[in-house]
Amino acid sequence: MAARWSSENVVVEFRDSQATAMSVDCLGQHAVLSGRRFLYLVNLDVPTEGHRKISRQSKWDIGAVQWNPHDSYAHYFAASSNQRVDLYKWKDGNGEVGTSLQGHTRVISDLDWAVFEPDLLVTSSVDTYIYVWDIKDTRKPTVSLSAVAGASQVKWNKKNASCLATSHDGDVRIWDKRKPSTAVEYLAAHLSKIHGLDWHPDNEYILATSSQDNSVRFWDYRQPRKYLNILPCQVPVWKARYTPFSNGLVTVMVPQLRRENSLLLWNTFDLNTPVHTFVGHDDVVLEFQWRKQKEGSKDYQLVTWSRDQTLRMWRVDSQLQRLCANDILEGVDELIDGIALLPEPDKTLHTQDSEPQQSSGHADEEALKEDFQNDLLVGRKSDLVGRKSDQLGLPQTLQQEFSLINVQIRNVNVEMDAVNRSCTVSVHCGNQRVKMRVMFPVQYPNNAAPSFQFAPTTTISSTMKAKLLKILNDTSLQKVKRNQSCLEPCLRQLVSYLESVVNQDDSTSSNPYALTNTVTPPLPTFARVSNAYGSYQDSNIPFPRTSGARFCGAGYLVYFTRPMTMHRAVSPTEPTPRSLSALSAYHSGLITPMKIRTETPGNLRLYSGSPTRSEKEQVSISSFYYKERCFHAQMSLRSARRRWSIQAINDFPKSRRWKSKREGTDANNRPIKAAGKVIIQDISCLLPVHKSLGEQYILNVSNIQETCQKNASSALAVGRRDLVQVWSLATVATDLCLGPKSDPDLETPWAQHPFGRQLLESLLLDPANTQQFDDFKKCYGEILYRWGLREKRAEVLKFVSCPPDPHKGIEFGVYCTHCRSEVRGTQCAICKGFTFQCAICHVAVRGSSNFCLTCGHGGHTSHMMEWFRTQEVCPTGCGCHCLLESTF
């Protein structure tokens, strides 16, 4: 139960301010309260001794206000009002509007100053755009990010200068301002609107979201499918932000009764109950921020602004800060030692007396320990070690990894030094000796791989050293890319490689005439890192499509699907992975089928440390799917065993039981195709244009009525009755008997008749729409070209009113060989000579031609080819070896 007491020491009322937003500067000296008519500047050192005002002329309330977080720009703050952001400058007790940022077309929902660059400001709006502004050049945003839905929150990452997050209803998008075309990651965070968004102050991958669905969720955006932890509440959560000290979190609720306490302080490692409740406000808290810690003081101050128009400052002393501290590290050794006290069946699987089974049992014990650590990391409750494991974000230190290393690996001796973040590995295998020093960077294992260095006592050759270093680097990179420890996998790879080399040497010495096998299989339990599909290098390669469709301009629909026998191994509601590297995660058990995910936590432990498939099976595209027929075959086999029918098992078709995925057969022993079909469908019946009409239509300008009649007959032949009606009306409207009379008094001109000009205008034949008609003709000409009707296309394009656009691109110019002037045509307009004369027939060249770039001679292509079949010198007798000097 939280302590129901208050630690406020300052309360200031601003009854007439009507402020909707508040912000505290980075120096902790001033707070700005934003109202509709005035901006109130409060000196936090003496908040009760008056305040300054900055008047503003606007009918719009201020939606968001924030001071620049950098000391050199501490006198600047930004305030958003409707579609505009005003930059204010407060210095020496005076404030003024510096400039305005205008670019959004809808209301600005949030703004945030960059943490690392003092000149950058990001704004989000309902118009679906997120703009990054540089206050040194406010004419337009420097970066524009576009989303489908409007953004309600935007926040810069506190550890990564290029990363920012935005919230869109219940979703969160992670952006990299260097790649503004699309979001880096998507998080389906909540089912209701997100009100608050905040990055972790020490981890660039973790963020917290608060929503209308009465919860606060913690996310690692590298694992977007599952939140790390959740804080369930009884009412919607307005804000949730990390504290500048320890592992605290401050939340603002939206209570049903306004007088209920809504400002709570939590320990993120124990979300069962808040550690403190700030009691004092009579209404909902609109904004809260932390004041900079004073020099020489250990206390923090929380500044809050509420709808009750009071500004309060709360003192958070060291005792309250300790309630948010993480005391789990002190008992880590006790928790890990508690694993040894578990019953034997809970620690390992069934073991036998053979050595491989013993190592397998030990590997299961190590997997159990690793699973226990994962429970601590993600904050799940563990029934193995009690309530201490129900925590969030416990870091896995290098010392913990050293304590969990399996020291029983054969032929390996490890000397670990956690203080200097290094270890020395000695391996003895046959006549080979390897001694290596491993150095771990400070960021390890967060995407930072260790370095490996051989000691002088190593006996292997330089070639073997290079191969071994490549294996170790690949193994470590593959692990740290997922923020996993890599020391023990590297040790096993090292032993596996040396044993394979020693075995190869022994086999070669025993049989000197045997061929050398350059590819030695590694240990079956710890496969070597290969360049198969789905490795960490494929993180930027999109995941292959399993189906797709494209419309063709010629009236076809081309689409492909996966085979009928292939189905998703995961739920159809889950999206296809974004990158090809997800295959390795699926193969290693990080992404498990839905059947496994729905198992109980006790059963999940059986899968968490082992792959979902055989280690011998290489990762492939098809490993993301399974074959339904093979699945049915396995189910039939199980049912046969349940019936205790040995004969049925023996009679079961072996081809269905043992065939691989690409070589499977059905019950009739017919091969199952592993590739999907590519289908081309004729959809011309669904299109407003028809190829046969393009072939049959005529354009006779001299007799328009005959043209309309024949085109109506062509439309009737293909069953287009809608076009028959149009052409029939055009036939009647263009009859010569309807032409204007010499005496206009005899009858009303046909142009005034409803079937006259009005009809023509309804058929889009008004001369005022010439440009639109030209576009229609060009589009129809493009369709005719795709159908191969080039002559019909030329007939249509003759009626385009404006000339075609000039050619844009590379053009070949022709210059006269006599006067060197540019010539268009076959004869020079200046010297009257032939522009380009064939060196064989001495006739002016028209059409296809070839010439030498060295001597400039040439001619008709057919003549040049015939000449150079038997000759090598230029036919003009200039002595140039055209084939050697140039290319015809």
Side-chain angles (χ1 to χ4, degrees):
M1 186 66 183
R4 310 297 295 183
W5 48 269
S6 169
S7 59
E8 72 199 43
N9 53 12
V10 176
V11 180
V12 184
E13 294 187 4
F14 296 87
R15 291 299 179 185
D16 299 329
S17 64
Q18 298 180 352
T20 56
M22 183 270 295
S23 179
V24 179
D25 67 352
C26 62
L27 302 179
Q29 297 178 355
H30 296 91
V32 57
L33 302 174
S34 58
R36 177 174 296 185
R37 295 186 298 115
F38 296 99
L39 295 175
Y40 297 85
L41 274 298
V42 182
N43 189 342
L44 296 180
D45 293 330
V46 285
T48 58
E49 297 182 5
H51 51 266
R52 301 293 182 92
K53 297 181 182 180
I54 302 177
S55 63
R56 55 185 301 265
Q57 303 295 329
S58 177
K59 63 180 181 178
W60 307 103
D61 288 329
I62 288 181
V65 62
Q66 190 180 89
W67 289 88
N68 194 304
H70 300 269
D71 294 347
S72 57
Y73 286 74
H75 51 282
Y76 285 101
F77 66 89
S80 65
S81 176
N82 197 18
Q83 305 172 7
R84 185 184 68 195
V85 174
D86 296 325
L87 299 179
Y88 290 87
K89 181 178 181 182
W90 177 261
K91 202 169 186 179
D92 300 331
N94 296 316
E96 59 182 3
V97 180
T99 183
S100 297
L101 308 178
Q102 299 183 6
H104 289 287
T105 58
R106 300 285 297 277
V107 177
I108 295 176
S109 56
D110 195 14
L111 58 88
D112 192 34
W113 289 96
V115 180
F116 296 94
E117 301 179 60
D119 299 325
L120 293 187
L121 174 71
V122 62
T123 59
S124 62
S125 173
V126 188
D127 62 4
T128 72
Y129 285 96
I130 301 98
Y131 290 147
V132 178
W133 304 83
D134 190 335
I135 61 175
K136 294 181 294 187
D137 185 7
T138 59
R139 293 174 297 178
K140 62 179 182 179
T142 58
V143 179
S144 176
L145 310 175
S146 177
V148 177
S152 58
Q153 297 285 319
V154 59
K155 289 294 179 290
W156 287 98
N157 194 300
K158 299 176 183 178
K159 305 298 289 185
N160 189 338
S162 302
C163 181
L164 64 155
T166 57
S167 63
H168 309 262
D169 292 332
D171 299 333
V172 174
R173 302 191 181 194
I174 310 299
W175 305 84
D176 189 332
K177 68 182 181 67
R178 298 167 298 183
K179 304 173 183 179
S181 59
T182 183
V184 176
E185 193 58 75
Y186 297 82
L187 280 73
H190 296 270
L191 297 178
S192 301
K193 183 179 180 180
I194 296 175
H195 295 308
L197 183 70
D198 193 34
W199 286 96
H200 195 282
D202 299 321
N203 193 320
E204 65 173 295
Y205 303 108
I206 295 179
L207 67 157
T209 57
S210 55
S211 170
Q212 184 72 21
D213 62 3
N214 306 350
S215 68
V216 178
R217 297 186 181 183
F218 303 88
W219 300 88
D220 186 334
Y221 72 79
R222 296 168 299 178
Q223 302 173 4
R225 295 187 177 183
K226 179 65 177 177
Y227 53 80
L228 297 177
N229 205 355
I230 184 172
L231 170 60
C233 304
Q234 301 297 325
V235 292
V237 185
W238 177 246
K239 299 289 183 184
R241 295 174 185 166
Y242 290 98
T243 60
F245 54 84
S246 300
N247 300 284
L249 183 79
V250 177
T251 60
V252 174
M253 310 294 182
V254 184
Q256 296 178 355
L257 299 178
R258 292 189 174 185
R259 299 186 63 86
E260 292 184 5
N261 301 293
S262 61
L263 193 63
L264 304 177
L265 177 63
W266 303 80
N267 186 338
T268 56
F269 289 90
D270 186 3
L271 298 175
N272 293 323
T273 180
V275 299
H276 180 65
T277 301
F278 298 93
V279 180
H281 282 296
D282 296 333
D283 208 333
V284 179
V285 176
L286 297 177
E287 184 60 66
F288 67 91
Q289 290 189 7
W290 292 94
R291 191 180 180 188
K292 184 178 180 181
Q293 195 175 21
K294 294 183 179 180
E295 186 176 358
S297 175
K298 296 182 179 180
D299 296 342
Y300 284 88
Q301 276 191 329
L302 178 65
V303 183
T304 61
W305 173 253
S306 172
R307 192 172 291 172
D308 59 12
Q309 301 300 299
T310 59
L311 179 75
R312 297 175 184 262
M313 292 193 295
W314 318 75
R315 182 173 61 89
V316 181
D317 54 16
S318 57
Q319 180 181 0
L320 191 55
Q321 297 173 28
R322 279 196 296 269
L323 295 177
C324 300
N326 177 20
D327 58 349
I328 305 173
L329 291 177
E330 301 175 358
V332 167
D333 296 335
E334 299 177 1
L335 295 177
I336 296 177
D337 294 339
I339 300 179
L341 303 178
L342 295 176
E344 196 66 24
D346 293 338
K347 289 170 35 178
T348 60
L349 299 177
H350 297 289
T351 59
Q352 297 179 3
D353 296 333
S354 61
E355 182 179 355
Q357 291 296 331
Q358 290 178 358
S359 62
S360 175
H362 188 80
D364 294 331
E365 181 179 353
E366 297 300 320
L368 183 61
K369 291 184 179 180
E370 182 179 358
D371 186 73
F372 166 71
Q373 284 183 298
N374 292 334
D375 288 344
L376 289 178
L377 284 172
V378 302
R380 292 185 295 157
K381 288 189 177 181
S382 175
D383 53 356
L384 298 177
V385 295
R387 184 176 173 275
K388 283 280 189 176
S389 62
D390 185 18
Q391 310 297 341
L392 170 66
L394 174 63
Q396 184 179 3
T397 63
L398 186 62
Q399 186 174 3
Q400 294 175 19
E401 182 179 359
F402 285 167
S403 64
L404 295 175
I405 286 294
N406 181 14
V407 295
Q408 302 299 328
I409 302 178
R410 57 186 180 276
N411 304 327
V412 177
N413 182 25
V414 184
E415 300 176 3
M416 293 168 283
D417 185 0
V419 178
N420 297 322
R421 303 188 65 81
S422 65
C423 69
T424 303
V425 181
S426 301
V427 183
H428 306 273
C429 189
N431 297 327
Q432 303 293 347
R433 300 289 186 274
V434 173
K435 188 173 183 179
M436 178 178 292
R437 182 176 175 83
V438 185
M439 301 295 296
F440 298 89
V442 179
Q443 297 82 6
Y444 173 85
N446 295 325
N447 203 13
S451 60
F452 305 91
Q453 184 178 3
F454 289 101
T457 57
T458 303
T459 61
I460 61 177
S461 62
S462 58
T463 304
M464 294 173 61
K465 288 181 180 179
K467 292 181 179 179
L468 186 56
L469 280 178
K470 184 179 185 306
I471 294 174
L472 296 177
N473 289 329
D474 289 346
T475 304
S476 60
L477 284 175
Q478 191 174 20
K479 289 294 183 180
V480 300
K481 283 287 185 180
R482 300 195 294 266
N483 294 345
Q484 298 177 359
S485 58
C486 66
L487 179 56
E488 185 168 340
C490 290
L491 294 180
R492 296 189 181 276
Q493 292 286 358
L494 175 59
V495 175
S496 173
Y497 178 76
L498 287 180
E499 288 186 349
S500 64
V501 172
V502 172
N503 294 335
Q504 179 181 347
D505 294 340
D506 294 342
S507 61
T508 304
S509 60
S510 61
N511 186 7
Y513 300 101
L515 295 177
T516 303
N517 183 15
T518 58
V519 182
T520 304
L523 292 177
T525 307
F526 305 96
R528 289 180 58 181
V529 178
S530 62
N531 293 326
Y533 289 113
S535 62
Y536 66 90
Q537 297 98 331
D538 300 330
S539 58
N540 294 326
I541 301 178
F543 196 84
R545 296 189 179 188
T546 57
S547 61
R550 287 291 184 272
F551 286 101
C552 176
Y556 296 101
L557 175 64
V558 182
Y559 61 94
F560 67 95
T561 60
R562 57 177 177 266
M564 295 299 295
T565 57
M566 304 287 284
H567 293 272
R568 289 283 294 270
V570 296
S571 172
T573 59
E574 296 190 11
T576 302
R578 292 177 54 84
S579 63
L580 193 61
S581 60
L583 284 175
S584 62
Y586 175 73
H587 188 267
S588 62
L590 295 180
I591 302 178
T592 58
M594 288 300 297
K595 182 179 180 181
I596 299 178
R597 294 187 185 186
T598 56
E599 296 289 342
T600 61
N603 294 335
L604 278 177
R605 191 169 293 107
L606 300 177
Y607 299 99
S608 60
S610 60
T612 58
R613 293 178 175 80
S614 172
E615 294 286 351
K616 297 181 180 180
E617 182 181 352
Q618 190 180 19
V619 182
S620 62
I621 306 301
S622 60
S623 65
F624 193 68
Y625 303 91
Y626 70 96
K627 288 198 172 183
E628 186 180 23
R629 299 189 181 186
C630 293
F631 175 74
H632 289 323
Q634 294 176 2
M635 293 302 295
S636 300
L637 181 59
R638 293 177 183 175
S639 62
R641 288 176 177 174
R642 284 195 297 266
R643 291 192 303 266
W644 298 94
S645 176
I646 300 177
Q647 184 64 30
I649 296 177
N650 295 332
D651 294 340
F652 194 85
K654 294 184 179 180
S655 60
R656 295 182 63 187
R657 287 157 47 194
W658 307 114
K659 284 289 184 178
S660 64
K661 290 188 176 183
R662 296 184 177 275
E663 298 177 357
T665 57
D666 58 9
N668 298 324
N669 204 21
R670 293 176 299 184
I672 299 175
K673 296 182 179 180
K677 295 181 179 180
V678 177
I679 303 173
I680 302 176
Q681 188 75 34
D682 187 2
I683 58 169
S684 58
C685 60
L686 304 177
L687 301 178
V689 293
H690 205 285
K691 182 178 180 181
S692 59
L693 289 180
E695 296 174 346
Q696 299 176 18
Y697 275 168
I698 63 171
L699 291 175
N700 186 5
V701 183
S702 59
N703 193 342
I704 299 178
Q705 190 174 12
E706 180 184 2
T707 299
C708 296
Q709 291 176 351
K710 290 187 177 180
N711 291 343
S713 302
S714 301
L716 182 61
V718 298
R720 292 295 303 272
R721 298 185 179 276
D722 54 336
L723 297 179
V724 173
Q725 184 178 9
V726 174
W727 285 115
S728 300
L729 290 175
T731 302
V732 176
T734 55
D735 195 340
L736 296 178
C737 65
L738 300 178
K741 304 297 183 179
S742 57
D743 188 1
D745 297 331
L746 294 178
E747 60 180 353
T748 304
W750 179 249
Q752 301 296 327
H753 196 276
F755 287 94
R757 180 172 297 276
Q758 295 182 10
L759 175 63
L760 295 179
E761 290 179 355
S762 66
L763 297 177
L764 298 178
L765 298 177
D766 190 355
N769 300 326
T770 303
Q771 183 63 38
Q772 185 180 10
F773 299 154
D774 288 345
D775 295 337
F776 290 159
K777 296 170 187 175
K778 292 177 182 179
C779 292
Y780 185 60
E782 181 67 21
I783 295 175
L784 293 175
Y785 180 81
R786 294 182 180 181
W787 284 340
L789 306 177
R790 295 179 177 84
E791 295 182 358
K792 295 290 185 179
R793 171 178 177 267
E795 293 180 10
V796 172
L797 295 182
K798 286 180 181 179
F799 296 96
V800 176
S801 59
C802 58
D805 297 333
H807 176 73
K808 297 180 181 179
I810 299 176
E811 290 187 354
F812 290 94
V814 180
Y815 292 86
C816 180
T817 57
H818 306 286
C819 63
R820 298 296 178 182
S821 59
E822 186 175 2
V823 181
R824 294 187 178 274
T826 59
Q827 188 178 23
C828 179
I830 299 177
C831 65
K832 305 303 180 182
F834 288 137
T835 302
F836 188 23
Q837 189 176 14
C838 180
I840 303 297
C841 63
H842 302 287
V843 178
V845 178
R846 295 173 181 266
S848 178
S849 62
N850 288 82
F851 55 90
C852 177
L853 296 177
T854 303
C855 64
H857 299 140
H860 297 95
T861 300
S862 57
H863 294 169
M864 293 295 104
M865 292 178 62
E866 183 178 0
W867 172 267
F868 284 108
R869 284 194 183 99
T870 57
Q871 305 295 329
E872 296 180 356
V873 187
C874 181
T876 61
C878 67
C880 177
H881 292 75
C882 299
L883 291 181
L884 300 178
E885 300 293 338
S886 180
T887 302
F888 267 89

